[in-house]
Amino acid sequence: MDSCSFSFTFGIWWLLAVTNHMIQSIEGRSPESPLQCNQTLCTLHNSYGKWGDRKDCYALNATYPTTEEELLAAVSFAVKNNLKAKVVTRFSHTIPKLACPADRAAQSSFFISTERYNRQIQIDAANSVVTVVAGVGLRQLIDAVEAAGFSLVASPYWEGVTIGGLISTGAHGSSWWGKGGAVHDHVVGLSIVVPASQSEGYAKILRMEAYDPLFKAAKLSLGVLGAISKVNLRIEPSFKRSITYNFTSDVGLEDLYGEHAKKYEFADITWYPSQHTAVYRYDSRVPLNTSGNAVFDFIGFQATSTLVSEAVRATETMFEKSKNMRGKCVTAEGTIAFKKATANGLKNNGIIFTGYPVIGHQNKMQTSGSCLTSSSILSSCAWDPRIKGLFFYESTAIFPASIFRNFILDVKKLRDQNPEYFCGVDNYNGILIRYIKASDAYLGQSQDSIVIDFNYYRANDALTPRLNQDILEELEQMAFFKYGAKPHWAKNRIIAFLGVDKKYPNYNKFIGAKKQLDPQNVFSSNWSDEILFGKESEKSDGCALEGLCICSEHRHCSPQNNYYCSQGLVYKDARVCRFSNNSSLPFSV
Ligand SMILES: Cc1cc2nc3c(=O)[nH]c(=O)nc-3n(C[C@H](O)[C@H](O)[C@H](O)COP(=O)(O)OP(=O)(O)OC[C@H]3O[C@@H](n4cnc5c(N)ncnc54)[C@H](O)[C@@H]3O)c2cc1C
Ligand SMILES: *[C@@H]1O[C@H](CO)[C@@H](O)[C@H](O)[C@H]1NC(C)=O
Ligand SMILES: *[C@@H]1O[C@H](CO)[C@@H](O)[C@H](O)[C@H]1NC(C)=O
Ligand SMILES: *[C@@H]1O[C@H](CO)[C@@H](O)[C@H](O)[C@H]1NC(C)=O
Ligand SMILES: *[C@@H]1O[C@H](CO)[C@@H](O)[C@H](O)[C@H]1NC(C)=O
Ligand SMILES: *[C@@H]1O[C@H](CO)[C@@H](O)[C@H](O)[C@H]1NC(C)=O
Ligand SMILES: *[C@@H]1O[C@H](CO)[C@@H](O)[C@H](O)[C@H]1NC(C)=O
Ligand SMILES: *[C@@H]1O[C@H](CO)[C@@H](O)[C@H](O)[C@H]1NC(C)=O
C-alpha cells in the first residue's frame, strides 16, 4: 500500500486513540438497563440495542426478586397464572432472542429479572468451592474469590455478564488444560427453581450435585428448564499469569493451533487473514510470588469517547457505501499496528504497556470490560446503542479440533483469491481462535474443540447489503454447514442455528430433561424454540442480508442494489448474495 496513505490513516487512528485516552481518563457512562418498563409494557433489548430481526421483545410485567424465596414466588406466580416466563439479567449480553418470552401479541408473558438478586457470594475454602446467587456479576465474583485467596480459572473475556446468564449459554474463555475454557465445566452443583404441581405450590427448588442425572442438562440450559438460583463453582488457590503476544506470520497456522494449546494453559490465536498475520498468545500460569502487578484492559472493551466511536462508524459506513475495500484495508492495518503497539491493552503497571512478558494476578488478566464502569456522557462502550457508534454482527462457530485444520485451509483459499475480502473482519478482531475441552453437558461440546469468533459490519438499515456480503456469508455457511460447526448459543445470526438439533449427540437427552422439568413449557417461547430447534422460517425479500435465511432466489438478496443469489467461490454449495453490475444476470443458483 502507499506509505503516505498508511501513515495518514495510522496517524488518524493514533490521534483518535490518544484523544480517547484523554477523554476516557476524565469520565464515561455505563450501559443503560436492557429491560425498560412503563405502566403497560416491558421491553427487553440485547447489549447492542437490536435483535437479529430488529423487532423488539416484550412482556406485560416484570418482577425483581432479591432472594431465593422471592424467585420461587415469582416462578410460582407465572405457573399459577399460566404465563410464559423468561429470566433476564441486568446485562442481557446474549445476541439472539433467547430471553424473549413472546411478542407483543402474546398477552401472557412475564420477565423475572435477576438484577437485584446479586448479594450472596459464599466461599467454602476447605472444599475450594464458591456458591453464588445467579444475578451476581462476573467481575464481582472474580474479585470476591481473589480477595479470599482463590482464583476462578475459566471465564469469558468480557466481564459484563451474570453467573446465571453465562453458564446458561455455555460461555467460555480459552483453555485445553484441566476442565478447560468453558465455565459450566467448572460448575459442581446448582439450584434451580422449576414449575411444580398445584399441591407443591406451583414451583419448587431443586438442588443438584454433579452425580444428579439432570445435572448434565441443567449446567448449560439456555434458560429453558427453569430459573437458576445458585451456582457452585470450583476454585483454585490464587495464581498469576504471564502473557506475551507474538505478532507473526500465519504460515503454518493449520499445523500449529493444536500444539499451541497444549503448550500454554490460556492460549489463543487472533488471525488477521487480510494481513497474513497470526497473533499467538503465550499465556501461562505462574506462581503468586512472581513479580508483576499488571492489568489486561482489552482495547476493544475500554470506554471509548463518543467522538471516536462515531468517527470510526462513519468511516466504515463511508467505505461500505463507496465499496472501498482498500480503505477498509488501510484502517485494518492501522488498527492492528495500534494493537501491536499497545499489546491489545495489556498494562504492565496498570497504566501502560512497557514490554513483555506482562505478569499479573488472574483476576486482572483473564477478563475485562472497563467501559462498563464509566459514569458520564462523554464515553461508553463503543457499541452503546445510545450513540451512533459501532454496530456489527458476531458469528461464533465451534469445531471439533481435528477438522479445524481443513477449515483453516479453506479460509486460506478464499483469502488467496483476494486478501482484501477479509479487511472488514480484520477491522474488528479478525478471526479469534479459542479452545474449550470436551464436556459432559448435553448442550456442551462432546469433544475437545476450537471456537472462532468474527465480527463484521451491520448496516443501519436491514435491507442494505454489506461490502463483501458474499464472502462473509460463504465463511459463515462453510463453518456451519460444510464443517458442521456448532453455533455459540449466545451469539450468531439465526441461520447458524439451522439443524443444530442434529449436531449434538445428547440433544434428545436434553429435550427429555426439559419435558421432565418444565412439561408445560413455561420457560419456552417461539424465540427460544427458534434457537433450540434450529428450524428454518419463512423466507422474505432481503432475508439473507441479515442472516435470517439462506438465499435461494435473488429476491432474498437485494436485486435493486445488484446483489444476486449466487454460489460460493470455494464452498460451491454455499448460497450467497453477491454484487454484480452485469445486466445479463441472473446467475444460475
Ligand atoms: C461484548 C461481548 C463480549 C462477549 N464475550 C464473550 C466471551 O469472551 N466468551 C463467551 O463465551 N461469550 C461471550 N459473550 C457472550 C456472553 O457471555 C453470553 O451472552 C452470556 O450468556 C451473557 O450473560 P448475561 O448475564 O448477559 O445473560 P443474558 O444474556 O441476560 O441471558 C442469557 C440466557 O440465560 C438465561 N438466564 C439468565 N440468567 C438465568 C438464570 N438465573 N436462570 C435461568 N436462565 C437464566 C436467559 O433467559 C437467556 O436465555 C460476549 C458478549 C458480548 C456482548
Ligand atoms: C410503553 O412502552 C411501549 C414500548 O416502548 C410504548 O409503545 C408505549 O407507548 C408505552 N406506554 C406508555 C403509557 O408510556
Ligand atoms: C406483576 O407481577 C407481580 C408479581 O411479581 C404481581 O404481583 C402483579 O400483580 C403483576 N402485575 C400485573 C399488571 O400483572
Ligand atoms: C409462535 O409461532 C406460532 C407458529 O408459527 C404462531 O402461530 C404464533 O403466533 C407465534 N406466537 C408468538 C407469540 O410469536
Ligand atoms: C514468534 O513466532 C515465530 C514463528 O512464527 C517464531 O519464529 C518466533 O521465535 C516467535 N517469537 C517469540 C518471541 O516467541
Ligand atoms: C517463590 O516461592 C518458591 C517457594 O514457595 C521459591 O522456591 C521461589 O524461589 C520463589 N520465587 C521468587 C521469584 O521469589
Ligand atoms: C461494473 O463492471 C465493469 C466491468 O466489469 C467494471 O469495470 C466496473 O468497475 C464495475 N462497477 C462497479 C461499481 O463495480
Ligand atoms: C455478464 O455476465 C454474462 C453471464 O455470466 C457473461 O457471459 C458476460 O461476459 C458478462 N459481461 C461482462 C461485461 O462482464
Side-chain angles (χ1 to χ4, degrees):
M1 96 149 66
D2 103 54
S3 65
C4 174
S5 74
F6 174 77
S7 54
F8 172 70
T9 314
F10 184 49
I12 288 195
W13 239 249
W14 184 80
L15 187 69
L16 288 177
V18 170
T19 320
N20 184 33
H21 273 271
M22 284 163 50
I23 298 175
Q24 184 196 322
S25 56
I26 307 171
E27 42 208 338
R29 67 173 165 172
S30 304
E32 192 172 68
S33 171
L35 181 60
Q36 299 285 336
C37 295
N38 61 24
Q39 288 99 330
T40 56
L41 211 56
C42 295
T43 309
L44 180 73
H45 289 125
N46 61 16
S47 50
Y48 301 142
K50 287 268 183 298
W51 299 104
D53 59 3
R54 302 191 188 230
K55 290 184 190 140
D56 280 344
C57 132
Y58 305 99
L60 286 188
N61 196 3
T63 187
Y64 297 82
T66 59
T67 62
E68 196 174 49
E69 295 67 46
E70 288 176 14
L71 184 64
L72 180 68
V75 174
S76 170
F77 177 84
V79 175
K80 186 176 177 191
N81 293 286
N82 229 341
L83 306 175
K84 290 281 185 195
K86 284 289 181 189
V87 180
V88 298
T89 69
R90 77 186 144 108
F91 291 111
S92 192
H93 271 58
T94 293
I95 297 158
K97 279 184 149 166
L98 264 184
C100 292
D103 65 12
R104 187 198 283 264
Q107 298 297 299
S108 49
S109 50
F110 192 48
F111 286 128
I112 300 172
S113 171
T114 61
E115 183 167 345
R116 293 174 207 157
Y117 184 39
N118 62 353
R119 298 250 172 256
Q120 279 162 275
I121 303 176
Q122 284 165 333
I123 292 165
D124 172 354
N127 292 305
S128 296
V129 170
V130 59
T131 300
V132 52
V133 298
V136 165
L138 179 58
R139 169 53 53 198
Q140 203 187 336
L141 171 63
I142 285 177
D143 286 343
V145 164
E146 205 77 20
F150 290 90
S151 289
L152 191 66
V153 179
S155 74
Y157 287 5
W158 164 252
E159 67 187 39
V161 290
T162 64
I163 299 312
L166 78 89
I167 66 161
S168 296
T169 63
H172 59 87
S174 185
S175 183
W176 267 357
W177 290 32
K179 288 277 174 192
V183 185
H184 58 86
D185 292 321
H186 298 255
V187 174
V188 294
L190 57 75
S191 305
I192 183 168
V193 182
V194 296
S197 63
Q198 181 179 0
S199 62
E200 291 171 298
Y202 298 104
K204 62 185 173 198
I205 302 168
L206 299 181
R207 304 213 188 274
M208 295 183 191
E209 291 186 45
Y211 55 78
D212 193 300
L214 290 167
F215 186 62
K216 292 173 186 168
K219 65 182 172 179
L220 199 181
S221 67
L222 308 188
V224 302
L225 299 184
I228 295 167
S229 53
K230 292 182 181 170
V231 179
N232 312 315
L233 279 158
R234 175 79 57 211
I235 48 182
E236 296 186 16
S238 45
F239 58 89
K240 285 185 173 176
R241 300 252 296 258
S242 169
I243 306 183
T244 296
Y245 281 111
N246 187 357
F247 283 68
T248 183
S249 147
D250 69 3
V251 169
L253 176 61
E254 62 278 10
D255 298 316
L256 295 172
Y257 67 87
E259 280 308 302
H260 181 58
K262 287 177 191 148
K263 197 160 166 200
Y264 301 98
E265 181 173 2
F266 301 102
D268 71 22
I269 306 171
T270 310
W271 182 21
Y272 298 107
S274 74
Q275 310 300 309
H276 297 83
T277 295
V279 182
Y280 292 86
R281 174 167 171 160
Y282 304 146
D283 186 343
S284 301
R285 188 189 292 235
V286 293
L288 213 48
N289 62 358
T290 315
S291 69
N293 218 351
V295 172
F296 190 4
D297 183 12
F298 177 64
I299 295 234
F301 299 158
Q302 292 179 9
T304 307
S305 83
T306 305
L307 210 69
V308 173
S309 302
E310 294 190 348
V312 170
R313 173 70 180 180
T315 309
E316 202 183 8
T317 301
M318 180 187 77
F319 291 150
E320 283 278 329
K321 286 199 169 134
S322 56
K323 296 198 169 55
N324 184 350
M325 281 201 258
R326 197 78 275 271
K328 283 215 178 187
C329 294
V330 171
T331 53
E333 277 171 69
T335 304
I336 295 161
F338 183 66
K339 285 182 182 162
K340 186 173 180 179
T342 54
N344 288 327
L346 283 170
K347 298 173 173 178
N348 301 67
N349 51 5
I351 301 163
I352 52 162
F353 172 62
T354 55
Y356 292 120
V358 184
I359 297 167
H361 290 273
Q362 164 71 351
N363 68 325
K364 303 283 188 203
M365 300 295 266
Q366 167 67 13
T367 185
S368 66
S370 59
C371 67
L372 286 165
T373 45
S374 331
S375 59
S376 126
I377 51 166
L378 295 175
S379 70
S380 64
C381 298
W383 57 80
D384 192 309
R386 289 167 297 186
I387 62 169
K388 294 185 179 121
L390 302 189
F391 187 43
F392 49 86
Y393 291 112
E394 187 152 354
S395 293
T396 301
I398 310 175
F399 300 77
S402 53
I403 64 168
F404 188 60
R405 177 175 202 279
N406 290 335
F407 175 76
I408 297 183
L409 292 174
D410 267 356
V411 175
K412 283 188 168 177
K413 266 186 219 157
L414 195 54
R415 184 271 309 278
D416 291 344
Q417 295 207 0
N418 183 355
E420 295 194 346
Y421 288 156
F422 285 85
C423 290
V425 164
D426 289 351
N427 270 288
Y428 290 87
N429 283 313
I431 298 177
L432 175 61
I433 299 170
R434 289 187 280 183
Y435 303 88
I436 51 186
K437 265 198 92 62
S439 169
D440 62 1
Y442 294 150
L443 297 184
Q445 305 311 310
S446 53
Q447 49 198 316
D448 291 358
S449 299
I450 307 279
V451 190
I452 63 161
D453 284 273
F454 54 97
N455 294 1
Y456 43 107
Y457 183 85
R458 186 177 187 186
N460 291 344
D461 159 37
L463 294 176
T464 303
R466 79 198 39 85
L467 184 57
N468 297 319
Q469 169 85 32
D470 55 334
I471 302 299
L472 292 157
E473 287 188 66
E474 184 169 348
L475 192 60
E476 188 181 35
Q477 291 177 35
M478 201 188 259
F480 294 112
F481 307 121
K482 179 170 180 185
Y483 289 97
K486 285 166 231 150
H488 189 309
W489 296 109
K491 302 184 190 175
N492 290 298
R493 315 191 311 163
I494 207 71
I495 70 135
F497 295 95
L498 287 179
V500 74
D501 52 330
K502 309 281 179 324
K503 294 180 178 176
Y504 284 91
N506 290 313
Y507 184 84
N508 288 333
K509 291 186 185 158
F510 183 80
I511 301 299
K514 162 76 177 167
K515 288 200 176 121
Q516 193 179 334
L517 294 178
D518 181 22
Q520 310 292 329
N521 283 325
V522 174
F523 288 94
S524 290
S525 71
N526 277 18
W527 307 118
S528 55
D529 281 358
E530 187 178 38
I531 293 158
L532 181 60
F533 296 99
K535 295 242 161 43
E536 185 156 25
S537 52
E538 211 174 303
K539 295 184 182 185
S540 56
D541 291 358
C543 59
L545 300 175
E546 295 244 290
L548 301 173
C549 72
I550 296 175
C551 69
S552 50
E553 295 171 44
H554 296 313
R555 68 180 183 90
H556 302 145
C557 297
S558 181
Q560 60 280 23
N561 289 308
N562 296 323
Y563 281 75
Y564 301 95
C565 189
S566 182
Q567 61 173 207
L569 299 176
V570 170
Y571 173 39
K572 302 289 182 195
D573 289 341
R575 290 293 173 270
V576 302
C577 298
R578 177 167 303 131
F579 176 76
S580 169
N581 66 4
N582 182 341
S583 61
S584 48
L585 286 166
F587 299 97
S588 58
V589 175

